[in-house]
Amino acid sequence: MALKSAVELRIADIIHSHGVAITLSQIASCINGSLTSPDITTLARIMRLLVRRKIFTVHHPSDGGDPLYDLTHSSRWLLHDSEQTLAPMVLMENHPWLIAPWHYFSQCVKECGIAFKKAHGREIWDLASGNPEFNKLFNDGLACTSKVVTSAILSGYKQGLSSIESLVDVGAAPAYNGIFHVGGDMFHAIPNANAWVLHDWGDEDCIKILRNCRKAIPRENGKVIIVEVVVKAEGSGVFDDMGFIFDLLMIAHSSGGKERTEVEWKKILEEGGFSRYKIIDIPALPSIIEAYPDDQ
C-alpha cells in the first residue's frame, strides 16, 4: 500500500523532474490534487518504509539540513512517462477490485471455485467487458508488463527470432503494416504459420490450444514458442520468488490458470503433441519454451 500511494502521488516522477535529490517539503509542494496542504508527517512515514525497502534513498546532510530523497534503480520503474514503467501494474494489482479476490483463498480451499467470481459474482473477463474503467485499468497493467517482457525477448532470444519466417501471436494485437488479423476461436482452429506465443490457461485449455497449434504447424521447422513462467521449487534467482507470487495471483484473477514447473509444462506439452522442448532463460520473469512436434 505504501508503494501504491507513492505511485498515485507520483513521488518518483516529482524527484525525477528535479534531477537531484530533494526534501520532503519539495516533494509535498509538487503533489497535485490536494485540497489542503499535504500531510508531510504521513508522507515521511510512508517514505521511511520505502527507503528501508530500497525503493528510494535518503541522504542526511552533514550541515543538519533537511534529509534529501532520491531515486534508486527500483523507483525508476515507477516513472509514469517512462517507455518501460511498471506503475500501471502496481496500480492495477493494488486496486480494490483486484485485491478483493485474495480475501477468498480460504473459501476456495474449502469449497473450490474461482476466487474472482466469489468476490465479484462474475469472472474477470465478464467484469472487464461490462466495465470500461476496470477494462482500462486491466489493459494498462498488462500492456506495461508486456513492453518489459518484449524488450527482454528481443535481447535474449535474437537467435530464435531470426529463424522465423512467419509468426502467429495467438491473441489480440493492434494493427501494423505487414500484420494480418485473423478472427476466430483458438480453441477450435489456428492459422498456419511457423510459431506461436501461448498465454497461460488451465491445463485442459492449454492442451486444446497446443493440439490446434500442432495441426497448424508445417512439417519442417515448425515450433510453438511459449513465453511463460517456469516455477523453480528450489530456485534462488532474482525472479524465482515472483514465480510463486504470480502463481497465487493466477488463483486470485484467473479461472484455472497457474504458473507451472518444468514437470507440469512437460506433461501438457506431451499431451498437446510436443514430445521435445527447450527452455531458454531471458532477463525477465518468464522464460521462453520452444516446443517441437512429435514427428520432427
Side-chain angles (χ1 to χ4, degrees), residues 159-220:
Q159 185 174 355
L161 293 174
S162 65
S163 63
I164 296 173
E165 296 177 3
S166 58
L167 174 73
V168 169
D169 179 3
V170 183
Y176 290 103
N177 290 333
I179 303 294
F180 298 93
H181 291 128
V182 180
D185 186 337
M186 63 185 174
F187 292 107
H188 290 96
I190 291 172
N192 291 329
N194 292 86
W196 284 265
V197 178
L198 177 68
H199 190 62
D200 196 71
W201 296 81
D203 287 354
E204 291 184 7
D205 286 337
C206 270
I207 292 166
K208 287 179 185 177
I209 297 169
L210 285 166
R211 285 175 178 169
N212 285 330
C213 290
R214 176 65 189 86
K215 293 175 185 176
I217 282 180
R219 290 187 176 277
E220 294 184 5

Side-chain angles (χ1 to χ4, degrees), residues 11-12 15-16 18-23 27 47 50-51 54-59 67-73 75-76:
I11 292 174
I15 297 173
H16 181 68
H18 281 76
V20 294
I22 57 176
T23 65
I27 293 172
M47 291 296 286
L50 295 178
V51 166
K54 297 181 172 57
I55 304 298
F56 297 100
T57 63
V58 64
H59 169 67
L68 297 170
Y69 292 84
D70 207 348
L71 302 177
T72 65
H73 175 74
S75 49
R76 292 186 182 278

Side-chain angles (χ1 to χ4, degrees), residues 16 26 45 78 106-107 130 156 183 189 225 239-240 242 245 252 254 261 268 270 286:
H16 181 68
Q26 288 175 299
R45 292 163 69 184
L78 306 180
S106 59
Q107 286 191 28
I225 301 171
F239 295 112
D240 288 330
M242 289 305 299
I245 294 170
S254 76
T261 64
I268 65 169
E270 288 178 346

Side-chain angles (χ1 to χ4, degrees), residues 70-97:
D70 207 348
L71 302 177
T72 65
H73 175 74
S74 295
S75 49
R76 292 186 182 278
W77 289 100
L78 306 180
L79 297 172
H80 285 75
D81 297 327
S82 174
E83 180 62 25
Q84 292 195 357
T85 175
L86 293 177
M89 172 60 90
V90 173
L91 295 178
M92 180 191 86
E93 292 298 348
N94 292 288
H95 191 283
W97 288 330

